[in-house]
Amino acid sequence: MKFLLPCIYAFVACFAYCFIVNIRGRLLLFAPLGASIGWLVYTLCGLFAGDLPCYFLATVAVSVYAEIMARIERVPATGFLLIGIFPMVPGGGIYYTMEYCINGDTGMFLETGLHTFGIAGCLALGVLTVTSILHLYAAVRRSRCKN
């Protein structure tokens, strides 16, 4: 239950967010599922590694899910990806970084800012990794079909 409950929370939060970004129909159930998968990978990875590798692996899982669902549903992967990454965005880190900056606590500002920047970098790198591998695979596949 320790791992399942946060995944349910991520699903419910992203389900509600789907209404804001106007996702309808069957996608209303499939899009938040990516957030649950990402959060499950993040919490399971937390048993073995620090939080930055967990963010990276969770983002890779969400990106793979988004690409698979995009091909199944014949829609852009961006919708699945944005909804799936939403729970991992370091909003609290950004807030506390700015709070430390305003209060003049330079040490905590730098520490929190670098950690937040690291999380954002892991999210971007996870998406970039999956997208690059898929584009490379498609290019190799097209070149083989031409021959």
Side-chain angles (χ1 to χ4, degrees):
M1 198 62 163
K2 176 182 170 184
F3 299 113
L4 189 60
L5 205 54
C7 297
I8 293 170
Y9 293 152
F11 181 87
V12 170
C14 290
F15 181 79
Y17 185 70
C18 286
F19 289 107
I20 294 171
V21 294
N22 202 22
I23 293 180
R24 302 281 186 234
R26 290 183 357 181
L27 300 181
L28 193 59
L29 292 176
F30 290 133
L33 189 60
S36 295
I37 292 169
W39 204 250
L40 180 66
V41 170
Y42 176 80
T43 54
L44 290 177
C45 182
L47 298 173
F48 308 108
D51 63 340
L52 293 181
C54 293
Y55 278 110
F56 174 75
L57 292 174
T59 305
V60 167
V62 171
S63 297
V64 168
Y65 174 78
E67 293 291 340
I68 290 169
M69 289 307 296
R71 274 138 182 96
I72 291 172
E73 294 293 327
R74 299 187 189 275
V75 295
T78 308
F80 291 105
L81 190 59
L82 291 178
I83 301 293
I85 286 181
F86 187 69
M88 293 182 277
V89 172
I94 295 169
Y95 173 82
Y96 288 115
T97 299
M98 289 295 101
E99 182 182 24
Y100 294 136
C101 178
I102 290 170
N103 291 337
D105 190 353
T106 308
M108 286 302 292
F109 165 71
L110 290 174
E111 181 181 335
T112 309
L114 288 174
H115 186 260
T116 302
F117 186 72
I119 292 171
C122 287
L123 296 178
L125 194 60
V127 172
L128 180 68
T129 301
V130 172
T131 305
S132 297
I133 289 171
L134 286 175
H135 282 278
L136 183 63
Y137 173 74
V140 168
R141 191 171 167 193
R142 276 193 304 268
S143 68
R144 285 188 181 180
C145 289
K146 288 181 181 179
N147 294 335

